[in-house]
Amino acid sequence: MKEKKKLGLGGQILLGLVLGIVVGAIFWIAMGAEAAGAFTGKYIKPFGDIFVNLLKFIVVPLVLLSIMDGVISMGDIGKVGKIGWKTVAYFLVTTAIACVIGLIVASLFKGSFPLLQLAEDAAYEAKSSNLMDTIVNIFPNNAIAPMANSSMLQIIVIALFFGCGILVAGEKGKALGDLVSSFNEVTQKVMAFILSVAPYGVFALMVWVVAAQGPKILGSLGLVLLAAYIGYAIHVVLVYSMSVKIFAQMSPGTFFKKIFPAAAFAFTSTSSVASLPVTKECCDDMGVHSEISSFVLPLGATINMDGTAIYQCVAAIFLAKCVGIDLTLVQMITIVVTATLASIGTAGTSGAGMIMLAMVLDAVGVPTTYIGIIYGIDRLFDMGRTALNVVGDASCAVCVNTWEKQIDAKAAAKKA
Ligand code: ASP
């Protein structure tokens, strides 16, 4: 008998995504937008929420243990520092390019953006975040609270300190190092259980998004959305294809094919942090060494947000136009700098980028209450920007992995 070919996780997630769109559209056509949104929000979205909850639960031990294990397996603090600098430099350069792409695309669209009065639907009260507070808050004043609150940047700091502590403690730290390694292995297995239900979670979330948000993308909001997605696409083609090709000698086609499950997952879950387990699997599949992916990916899921940066630039130009502000070159440069910083400060969770947008708007004098205009469709922006964020993290892991391999090969050649 001919054996049936089993669909891999990526294929299953894609199936969930497509079926979700079809079923969501059926709900929307059959019931009308409002009723479909309410119905699917009440009865279908909760299944997606269960799945996202499970991911959020596993992500704290996953980030803590994988970064610690990554640091420990590097074996010496000097190596941690070297890989750390390369990673952060890659993140910063790609994010700054993302901002420039966002600005150029939005400027091309600017003529078609409307001049709006602050409408009732713009009643969203934005909380603006202060840059210095964001920096101070990276450093925890308590070892337990960050885990309870899932404060990822603080968890990363704790993991780096303890990982380095274990390395420096030498023989006496070995027992704890082994424990971390064993605990990390178990966490990865738990993660695999959770991932096996990903296609169902993706399906449930997609049905709800399409049923509830489908009609809102029409009109001028559709235009900003289009501008953002064009920016995302240009960044993928220009920056990621080129970086994996040039730095990692990997064909972009192979890279995108292998990273697809993570991108699709990020697209539906709208959380880089929740997508971390899938991203790690995809990078493993591309042959990225575990000590690199365990370090680069959690860090990237927390601070590397190219999609968010593009979104913030496009949204800032759109909202400035709505208010009637014509941005000067200096204001544009201000947007690039603040959007780069704001995207770093953005948590890898659903909707976080929109809150940090307030920082960018503040910097150029656009009233933050105007965020309300795009608030209703933020999820649609978020889907694309999160997918891009995750692909960016993976591209960095692939490049850093190659750089380290080249250094190791050179060192081996010298020895021989
Ligand atoms: N949802 C995005 C992420 O998790 C962050 C954002 O809202 O821009 O990467």
Side-chain angles (χ1 to χ4, degrees), residues 27-60:
F27 269 111
W28 174 35
I29 293 164
M31 302 173 80
E34 209 166 304
F39 180 83
T40 52
K42 200 162 168 199
Y43 297 108
I44 297 183
K45 179 171 173 274
F47 292 101
D49 290 340
I50 293 176
F51 175 60
V52 173
N53 281 352
L54 286 175
L55 282 170
K56 283 187 183 155
F57 128 78
I58 198 66
V59 100
V60 169

PDB file of all heavy atoms in Angstrom, residues 27-60:
ATOM      1  N   PHE A  27     -17.809  33.417   7.523  1.00  0.00           N
ATOM      2  CA  PHE A  27     -18.517  34.010   8.664  1.00  0.00           C
ATOM      3  C   PHE A  27     -18.893  35.458   8.373  1.00  0.00           C
ATOM      4  O   PHE A  27     -19.996  35.909   8.636  1.00  0.00           O
ATOM      5  CB  PHE A  27     -17.622  33.984   9.911  1.00  0.00           C
ATOM      6  CG  PHE A  27     -17.801  32.746  10.732  1.00  0.00           C
ATOM      7  CD1 PHE A  27     -16.787  31.793  10.805  1.00  0.00           C
ATOM      8  CD2 PHE A  27     -18.958  32.527  11.452  1.00  0.00           C
ATOM      9  CE1 PHE A  27     -16.930  30.650  11.559  1.00  0.00           C
ATOM     10  CE2 PHE A  27     -19.110  31.385  12.219  1.00  0.00           C
ATOM     11  CZ  PHE A  27     -18.093  30.442  12.268  1.00  0.00           C
ATOM     12  N   TRP A  28     -17.929  36.154   7.827  1.00  0.00           N
ATOM     13  CA  TRP A  28     -18.098  37.584   7.565  1.00  0.00           C
ATOM     14  C   TRP A  28     -19.231  37.805   6.547  1.00  0.00           C
ATOM     15  O   TRP A  28     -20.125  38.630   6.750  1.00  0.00           O
ATOM     16  CB  TRP A  28     -16.745  38.138   7.036  1.00  0.00           C
ATOM     17  CG  TRP A  28     -16.779  39.547   6.589  1.00  0.00           C
ATOM     18  CD1 TRP A  28     -17.510  40.569   7.131  1.00  0.00           C
ATOM     19  CD2 TRP A  28     -16.059  40.099   5.482  1.00  0.00           C
ATOM     20  NE1 TRP A  28     -17.275  41.730   6.444  1.00  0.00           N
ATOM     21  CE2 TRP A  28     -16.397  41.468   5.415  1.00  0.00           C
ATOM     22  CE3 TRP A  28     -15.175  39.585   4.538  1.00  0.00           C
ATOM     23  CZ2 TRP A  28     -15.864  42.322   4.451  1.00  0.00           C
ATOM     24  CZ3 TRP A  28     -14.642  40.429   3.583  1.00  0.00           C
ATOM     25  CH2 TRP A  28     -14.986  41.779   3.546  1.00  0.00           C
ATOM     26  N   ILE A  29     -19.215  37.001   5.466  1.00  0.00           N
ATOM     27  CA  ILE A  29     -20.236  37.156   4.427  1.00  0.00           C
ATOM     28  C   ILE A  29     -21.607  36.733   4.969  1.00  0.00           C
ATOM     29  O   ILE A  29     -22.616  37.394   4.762  1.00  0.00           O
ATOM     30  CB  ILE A  29     -19.866  36.315   3.174  1.00  0.00           C
ATOM     31  CG1 ILE A  29     -18.606  36.913   2.533  1.00  0.00           C
ATOM     32  CG2 ILE A  29     -21.008  36.266   2.162  1.00  0.00           C
ATOM     33  CD1 ILE A  29     -17.905  35.998   1.550  1.00  0.00           C
ATOM     34  N   ALA A  30     -21.614  35.630   5.738  1.00  0.00           N
ATOM     35  CA  ALA A  30     -22.898  35.094   6.199  1.00  0.00           C
ATOM     36  C   ALA A  30     -23.537  35.936   7.304  1.00  0.00           C
ATOM     37  O   ALA A  30     -24.752  36.074   7.366  1.00  0.00           O
ATOM     38  CB  ALA A  30     -22.704  33.651   6.681  1.00  0.00           C
ATOM     39  N   MET A  31     -22.725  36.494   8.194  1.00  0.00           N
ATOM     40  CA  MET A  31     -23.304  37.151   9.376  1.00  0.00           C
ATOM     41  C   MET A  31     -23.143  38.658   9.374  1.00  0.00           C
ATOM     42  O   MET A  31     -23.740  39.345  10.204  1.00  0.00           O
ATOM     43  CB  MET A  31     -22.633  36.609  10.654  1.00  0.00           C
ATOM     44  CG  MET A  31     -22.745  35.123  10.828  1.00  0.00           C
ATOM     45  SD  MET A  31     -21.766  34.551  12.248  1.00  0.00           S
ATOM     46  CE  MET A  31     -22.846  34.931  13.593  1.00  0.00           C
ATOM     47  N   GLY A  32     -22.298  39.197   8.501  1.00  0.00           N
ATOM     48  CA  GLY A  32     -21.994  40.633   8.590  1.00  0.00           C
ATOM     49  C   GLY A  32     -20.847  40.812   9.571  1.00  0.00           C
ATOM     50  O   GLY A  32     -20.671  39.986  10.482  1.00  0.00           O
ATOM     51  N   ALA A  33     -20.093  41.916   9.377  1.00  0.00           N
ATOM     52  CA  ALA A  33     -18.850  42.074  10.120  1.00  0.00           C
ATOM     53  C   ALA A  33     -19.037  42.053  11.639  1.00  0.00           C
ATOM     54  O   ALA A  33     -18.322  41.348  12.356  1.00  0.00           O
ATOM     55  CB  ALA A  33     -18.170  43.362   9.699  1.00  0.00           C
ATOM     56  N   GLU A  34     -20.023  42.813  12.116  1.00  0.00           N
ATOM     57  CA  GLU A  34     -20.115  42.970  13.571  1.00  0.00           C
ATOM     58  C   GLU A  34     -20.470  41.655  14.267  1.00  0.00           C
ATOM     59  O   GLU A  34     -19.814  41.230  15.212  1.00  0.00           O
ATOM     60  CB  GLU A  34     -21.140  44.042  13.897  1.00  0.00           C
ATOM     61  CG  GLU A  34     -20.800  44.734  15.202  1.00  0.00           C
ATOM     62  CD  GLU A  34     -21.597  46.014  15.348  1.00  0.00           C
ATOM     63  OE1 GLU A  34     -21.511  46.874  14.443  1.00  0.00           O
ATOM     64  OE2 GLU A  34     -22.314  46.109  16.337  1.00  0.00           O
ATOM     65  N   ALA A  35     -21.530  41.005  13.734  1.00  0.00           N
ATOM     66  CA  ALA A  35     -21.967  39.750  14.351  1.00  0.00           C
ATOM     67  C   ALA A  35     -20.884  38.683  14.213  1.00  0.00           C
ATOM     68  O   ALA A  35     -20.627  37.910  15.143  1.00  0.00           O
ATOM     69  CB  ALA A  35     -23.252  39.282  13.701  1.00  0.00           C
ATOM     70  N   ALA A  36     -20.219  38.648  13.043  1.00  0.00           N
ATOM     71  CA  ALA A  36     -19.177  37.643  12.826  1.00  0.00           C
ATOM     72  C   ALA A  36     -18.022  37.866  13.797  1.00  0.00           C
ATOM     73  O   ALA A  36     -17.486  36.916  14.381  1.00  0.00           O
ATOM     74  CB  ALA A  36     -18.670  37.709  11.390  1.00  0.00           C
ATOM     75  N   GLY A  37     -17.658  39.154  14.000  1.00  0.00           N
ATOM     76  CA  GLY A  37     -16.575  39.480  14.930  1.00  0.00           C
ATOM     77  C   GLY A  37     -16.926  39.036  16.341  1.00  0.00           C
ATOM     78  O   GLY A  37     -16.123  38.423  17.047  1.00  0.00           O
ATOM     79  N   ALA A  38     -18.180  39.335  16.742  1.00  0.00           N
ATOM     80  CA  ALA A  38     -18.597  38.993  18.107  1.00  0.00           C
ATOM     81  C   ALA A  38     -18.647  37.481  18.288  1.00  0.00           C
ATOM     82  O   ALA A  38     -18.137  36.928  19.269  1.00  0.00           O
ATOM     83  CB  ALA A  38     -19.963  39.605  18.390  1.00  0.00           C
ATOM     84  N   PHE A  39     -19.215  36.787  17.292  1.00  0.00           N
ATOM     85  CA  PHE A  39     -19.369  35.335  17.403  1.00  0.00           C
ATOM     86  C   PHE A  39     -18.017  34.620  17.438  1.00  0.00           C
ATOM     87  O   PHE A  39     -17.738  33.818  18.335  1.00  0.00           O
ATOM     88  CB  PHE A  39     -20.218  34.813  16.235  1.00  0.00           C
ATOM     89  CG  PHE A  39     -20.429  33.335  16.282  1.00  0.00           C
ATOM     90  CD1 PHE A  39     -21.426  32.778  17.071  1.00  0.00           C
ATOM     91  CD2 PHE A  39     -19.601  32.473  15.551  1.00  0.00           C
ATOM     92  CE1 PHE A  39     -21.601  31.400  17.134  1.00  0.00           C
ATOM     93  CE2 PHE A  39     -19.756  31.096  15.610  1.00  0.00           C
ATOM     94  CZ  PHE A  39     -20.765  30.559  16.406  1.00  0.00           C
ATOM     95  N   THR A  40     -17.177  34.973  16.458  1.00  0.00           N
ATOM     96  CA  THR A  40     -15.885  34.273  16.404  1.00  0.00           C
ATOM     97  C   THR A  40     -15.016  34.670  17.598  1.00  0.00           C
ATOM     98  O   THR A  40     -14.257  33.858  18.114  1.00  0.00           O
ATOM     99  CB  THR A  40     -15.128  34.583  15.095  1.00  0.00           C
ATOM    100  OG1 THR A  40     -15.053  35.997  14.943  1.00  0.00           O
ATOM    101  CG2 THR A  40     -15.807  33.979  13.895  1.00  0.00           C
ATOM    102  N   GLY A  41     -15.172  35.932  18.043  1.00  0.00           N
ATOM    103  CA  GLY A  41     -14.401  36.377  19.211  1.00  0.00           C
ATOM    104  C   GLY A  41     -14.791  35.587  20.456  1.00  0.00           C
ATOM    105  O   GLY A  41     -13.967  35.298  21.316  1.00  0.00           O
ATOM    106  N   LYS A  42     -16.060  35.221  20.521  1.00  0.00           N
ATOM    107  CA  LYS A  42     -16.541  34.530  21.727  1.00  0.00           C
ATOM    108  C   LYS A  42     -16.283  33.025  21.674  1.00  0.00           C
ATOM    109  O   LYS A  42     -15.945  32.405  22.674  1.00  0.00           O
ATOM    110  CB  LYS A  42     -18.047  34.786  21.862  1.00  0.00           C
ATOM    111  CG  LYS A  42     -18.588  34.575  23.240  1.00  0.00           C
ATOM    112  CD  LYS A  42     -19.922  35.259  23.393  1.00  0.00           C
ATOM    113  CE  LYS A  42     -20.582  34.789  24.670  1.00  0.00           C
ATOM    114  NZ  LYS A  42     -22.011  35.041  24.657  1.00  0.00           N
ATOM    115  N   TYR A  43     -16.487  32.434  20.485  1.00  0.00           N
ATOM    116  CA  TYR A  43     -16.449  30.963  20.435  1.00  0.00           C
ATOM    117  C   TYR A  43     -15.240  30.355  19.728  1.00  0.00           C
ATOM    118  O   TYR A  43     -14.945  29.187  19.918  1.00  0.00           O
ATOM    119  CB  TYR A  43     -17.732  30.441  19.768  1.00  0.00           C
ATOM    120  CG  TYR A  43     -18.963  30.810  20.566  1.00  0.00           C
ATOM    121  CD1 TYR A  43     -19.839  31.790  20.110  1.00  0.00           C
ATOM    122  CD2 TYR A  43     -19.228  30.192  21.791  1.00  0.00           C
ATOM    123  CE1 TYR A  43     -20.961  32.146  20.849  1.00  0.00           C
ATOM    124  CE2 TYR A  43     -20.338  30.544  22.537  1.00  0.00           C
ATOM    125  CZ  TYR A  43     -21.209  31.524  22.061  1.00  0.00           C
ATOM    126  OH  TYR A  43     -22.286  31.873  22.803  1.00  0.00           O
ATOM    127  N   ILE A  44     -14.565  31.108  18.890  1.00  0.00           N
ATOM    128  CA  ILE A  44     -13.445  30.488  18.158  1.00  0.00           C
ATOM    129  C   ILE A  44     -12.086  31.012  18.629  1.00  0.00           C
ATOM    130  O   ILE A  44     -11.165  30.249  18.861  1.00  0.00           O
ATOM    131  CB  ILE A  44     -13.628  30.694  16.637  1.00  0.00           C
ATOM    132  CG1 ILE A  44     -14.918  29.976  16.220  1.00  0.00           C
ATOM    133  CG2 ILE A  44     -12.430  30.152  15.863  1.00  0.00           C
ATOM    134  CD1 ILE A  44     -15.232  29.990  14.764  1.00  0.00           C
ATOM    135  N   LYS A  45     -12.021  32.339  18.815  1.00  0.00           N
ATOM    136  CA  LYS A  45     -10.748  32.919  19.244  1.00  0.00           C
ATOM    137  C   LYS A  45     -10.227  32.294  20.548  1.00  0.00           C
ATOM    138  O   LYS A  45      -9.012  32.093  20.689  1.00  0.00           O
ATOM    139  CB  LYS A  45     -10.901  34.430  19.405  1.00  0.00           C
ATOM    140  CG  LYS A  45      -9.643  35.119  19.872  1.00  0.00           C
ATOM    141  CD  LYS A  45      -9.799  36.623  19.795  1.00  0.00           C
ATOM    142  CE  LYS A  45      -8.619  37.341  20.406  1.00  0.00           C
ATOM    143  NZ  LYS A  45      -8.745  37.527  21.851  1.00  0.00           N
ATOM    144  N   PRO A  46     -11.109  31.955  21.520  1.00  0.00           N
ATOM    145  CA  PRO A  46     -10.572  31.380  22.768  1.00  0.00           C
ATOM    146  C   PRO A  46      -9.657  30.176  22.558  1.00  0.00           C
ATOM    147  O   PRO A  46      -8.711  29.970  23.320  1.00  0.00           O
ATOM    148  CB  PRO A  46     -11.831  30.987  23.544  1.00  0.00           C
ATOM    149  CG  PRO A  46     -12.861  31.959  23.065  1.00  0.00           C
ATOM    150  CD  PRO A  46     -12.557  32.199  21.615  1.00  0.00           C
ATOM    151  N   PHE A  47      -9.912  29.376  21.488  1.00  0.00           N
ATOM    152  CA  PHE A  47      -9.026  28.225  21.253  1.00  0.00           C
ATOM    153  C   PHE A  47      -7.629  28.695  20.848  1.00  0.00           C
ATOM    154  O   PHE A  47      -6.628  28.105  21.230  1.00  0.00           O
ATOM    155  CB  PHE A  47      -9.627  27.299  20.181  1.00  0.00           C
ATOM    156  CG  PHE A  47     -10.879  26.624  20.664  1.00  0.00           C
ATOM    157  CD1 PHE A  47     -12.128  27.090  20.280  1.00  0.00           C
ATOM    158  CD2 PHE A  47     -10.808  25.559  21.549  1.00  0.00           C
ATOM    159  CE1 PHE A  47     -13.283  26.499  20.745  1.00  0.00           C
ATOM    160  CE2 PHE A  47     -11.967  24.946  22.033  1.00  0.00           C
ATOM    161  CZ  PHE A  47     -13.213  25.431  21.628  1.00  0.00           C
ATOM    162  N   GLY A  48      -7.614  29.770  20.089  1.00  0.00           N
ATOM    163  CA  GLY A  48      -6.321  30.368  19.745  1.00  0.00           C
ATOM    164  C   GLY A  48      -5.657  30.935  20.990  1.00  0.00           C
ATOM    165  O   GLY A  48      -4.440  30.821  21.180  1.00  0.00           O
ATOM    166  N   ASP A  49      -6.482  31.525  21.857  1.00  0.00           N
ATOM    167  CA  ASP A  49      -5.929  32.108  23.090  1.00  0.00           C
ATOM    168  C   ASP A  49      -5.293  31.046  23.985  1.00  0.00           C
ATOM    169  O   ASP A  49      -4.263  31.282  24.606  1.00  0.00           O
ATOM    170  CB  ASP A  49      -7.031  32.840  23.880  1.00  0.00           C
ATOM    171  CG  ASP A  49      -7.470  34.121  23.170  1.00  0.00           C
ATOM    172  OD1 ASP A  49      -6.694  34.612  22.325  1.00  0.00           O
ATOM    173  OD2 ASP A  49      -8.573  34.609  23.446  1.00  0.00           O
ATOM    174  N   ILE A  50      -5.932  29.872  24.035  1.00  0.00           N
ATOM    175  CA  ILE A  50      -5.375  28.785  24.862  1.00  0.00           C
ATOM    176  C   ILE A  50      -3.960  28.473  24.382  1.00  0.00           C
ATOM    177  O   ILE A  50      -3.007  28.365  25.151  1.00  0.00           O
ATOM    178  CB  ILE A  50      -6.239  27.498  24.762  1.00  0.00           C
ATOM    179  CG1 ILE A  50      -7.600  27.731  25.404  1.00  0.00           C
ATOM    180  CG2 ILE A  50      -5.515  26.300  25.399  1.00  0.00           C
ATOM    181  CD1 ILE A  50      -8.554  26.567  25.283  1.00  0.00           C
ATOM    182  N   PHE A  51      -3.852  28.388  23.071  1.00  0.00           N
ATOM    183  CA  PHE A  51      -2.561  28.047  22.483  1.00  0.00           C
ATOM    184  C   PHE A  51      -1.519  29.133  22.769  1.00  0.00           C
ATOM    185  O   PHE A  51      -0.387  28.846  23.187  1.00  0.00           O
ATOM    186  CB  PHE A  51      -2.758  27.845  20.983  1.00  0.00           C
ATOM    187  CG  PHE A  51      -1.500  27.618  20.252  1.00  0.00           C
ATOM    188  CD1 PHE A  51      -0.693  26.543  20.569  1.00  0.00           C
ATOM    189  CD2 PHE A  51      -1.091  28.488  19.259  1.00  0.00           C
ATOM    190  CE1 PHE A  51       0.496  26.343  19.908  1.00  0.00           C
ATOM    191  CE2 PHE A  51       0.084  28.295  18.602  1.00  0.00           C
ATOM    192  CZ  PHE A  51       0.883  27.223  18.926  1.00  0.00           C
ATOM    193  N   VAL A  52      -1.929  30.390  22.590  1.00  0.00           N
ATOM    194  CA  VAL A  52      -0.989  31.490  22.843  1.00  0.00           C
ATOM    195  C   VAL A  52      -0.621  31.537  24.332  1.00  0.00           C
ATOM    196  O   VAL A  52       0.532  31.775  24.698  1.00  0.00           O
ATOM    197  CB  VAL A  52      -1.574  32.839  22.346  1.00  0.00           C
ATOM    198  CG1 VAL A  52      -0.691  33.999  22.763  1.00  0.00           C
ATOM    199  CG2 VAL A  52      -1.705  32.822  20.826  1.00  0.00           C
ATOM    200  N   ASN A  53      -1.592  31.242  25.201  1.00  0.00           N
ATOM    201  CA  ASN A  53      -1.289  31.187  26.642  1.00  0.00           C
ATOM    202  C   ASN A  53      -0.209  30.150  26.931  1.00  0.00           C
ATOM    203  O   ASN A  53       0.723  30.384  27.697  1.00  0.00           O
ATOM    204  CB  ASN A  53      -2.535  30.797  27.451  1.00  0.00           C
ATOM    205  CG  ASN A  53      -3.448  31.989  27.632  1.00  0.00           C
ATOM    206  OD1 ASN A  53      -3.082  33.100  27.288  1.00  0.00           O
ATOM    207  ND2 ASN A  53      -4.622  31.758  28.162  1.00  0.00           N
ATOM    208  N   LEU A  54      -0.364  28.974  26.308  1.00  0.00           N
ATOM    209  CA  LEU A  54       0.615  27.901  26.550  1.00  0.00           C
ATOM    210  C   LEU A  54       2.005  28.335  26.104  1.00  0.00           C
ATOM    211  O   LEU A  54       3.009  28.074  26.772  1.00  0.00           O
ATOM    212  CB  LEU A  54       0.207  26.630  25.799  1.00  0.00           C
ATOM    213  CG  LEU A  54      -0.972  25.874  26.397  1.00  0.00           C
ATOM    214  CD1 LEU A  54      -1.355  24.701  25.511  1.00  0.00           C
ATOM    215  CD2 LEU A  54      -0.628  25.369  27.794  1.00  0.00           C
ATOM    216  N   LEU A  55       2.038  29.030  24.964  1.00  0.00           N
ATOM    217  CA  LEU A  55       3.341  29.506  24.476  1.00  0.00           C
ATOM    218  C   LEU A  55       3.935  30.529  25.431  1.00  0.00           C
ATOM    219  O   LEU A  55       5.129  30.520  25.706  1.00  0.00           O
ATOM    220  CB  LEU A  55       3.185  30.130  23.102  1.00  0.00           C
ATOM    221  CG  LEU A  55       3.071  29.131  21.967  1.00  0.00           C
ATOM    222  CD1 LEU A  55       2.670  29.827  20.698  1.00  0.00           C
ATOM    223  CD2 LEU A  55       4.377  28.386  21.763  1.00  0.00           C
ATOM    224  N   LYS A  56       3.076  31.405  25.941  1.00  0.00           N
ATOM    225  CA  LYS A  56       3.583  32.439  26.839  1.00  0.00           C
ATOM    226  C   LYS A  56       4.115  31.803  28.117  1.00  0.00           C
ATOM    227  O   LYS A  56       5.082  32.258  28.696  1.00  0.00           O
ATOM    228  CB  LYS A  56       2.469  33.427  27.182  1.00  0.00           C
ATOM    229  CG  LYS A  56       2.194  34.411  26.066  1.00  0.00           C
ATOM    230  CD  LYS A  56       1.212  35.441  26.560  1.00  0.00           C
ATOM    231  CE  LYS A  56       0.824  36.409  25.484  1.00  0.00           C
ATOM    232  NZ  LYS A  56      -0.493  37.004  25.755  1.00  0.00           N
ATOM    233  N   PHE A  57       3.446  30.724  28.527  1.00  0.00           N
ATOM    234  CA  PHE A  57       3.874  30.067  29.756  1.00  0.00           C
ATOM    235  C   PHE A  57       5.256  29.423  29.589  1.00  0.00           C
ATOM    236  O   PHE A  57       6.109  29.507  30.458  1.00  0.00           O
ATOM    237  CB  PHE A  57       2.798  29.067  30.208  1.00  0.00           C
ATOM    238  CG  PHE A  57       3.283  27.672  30.489  1.00  0.00           C
ATOM    239  CD1 PHE A  57       3.934  27.390  31.689  1.00  0.00           C
ATOM    240  CD2 PHE A  57       3.105  26.647  29.581  1.00  0.00           C
ATOM    241  CE1 PHE A  57       4.396  26.103  31.949  1.00  0.00           C
ATOM    242  CE2 PHE A  57       3.569  25.374  29.831  1.00  0.00           C
ATOM    243  CZ  PHE A  57       4.215  25.105  31.019  1.00  0.00           C
ATOM    244  N   ILE A  58       5.484  28.853  28.413  1.00  0.00           N
ATOM    245  CA  ILE A  58       6.756  28.149  28.234  1.00  0.00           C
ATOM    246  C   ILE A  58       7.887  29.110  27.889  1.00  0.00           C
ATOM    247  O   ILE A  58       9.074  28.795  28.041  1.00  0.00           O
ATOM    248  CB  ILE A  58       6.625  27.031  27.156  1.00  0.00           C
ATOM    249  CG1 ILE A  58       7.765  26.014  27.268  1.00  0.00           C
ATOM    250  CG2 ILE A  58       6.580  27.579  25.746  1.00  0.00           C
ATOM    251  CD1 ILE A  58       7.753  25.208  28.503  1.00  0.00           C
ATOM    252  N   VAL A  59       7.516  30.325  27.462  1.00  0.00           N
ATOM    253  CA  VAL A  59       8.546  31.190  26.918  1.00  0.00           C
ATOM    254  C   VAL A  59       9.502  31.750  27.990  1.00  0.00           C
ATOM    255  O   VAL A  59      10.679  31.947  27.714  1.00  0.00           O
ATOM    256  CB  VAL A  59       7.885  32.281  26.037  1.00  0.00           C
ATOM    257  CG1 VAL A  59       7.756  33.588  26.744  1.00  0.00           C
ATOM    258  CG2 VAL A  59       8.649  32.407  24.744  1.00  0.00           C
ATOM    259  N   VAL A  60       9.002  31.937  29.218  1.00  0.00           N
ATOM    260  CA  VAL A  60       9.904  32.466  30.253  1.00  0.00           C
ATOM    261  C   VAL A  60      11.014  31.462  30.589  1.00  0.00           C
ATOM    262  O   VAL A  60      12.200  31.791  30.480  1.00  0.00           O
ATOM    263  CB  VAL A  60       9.121  32.903  31.511  1.00  0.00           C
ATOM    264  CG1 VAL A  60      10.058  33.182  32.671  1.00  0.00           C
ATOM    265  CG2 VAL A  60       8.307  34.155  31.198  1.00  0.00           C
TER     266      VAL A  60
END
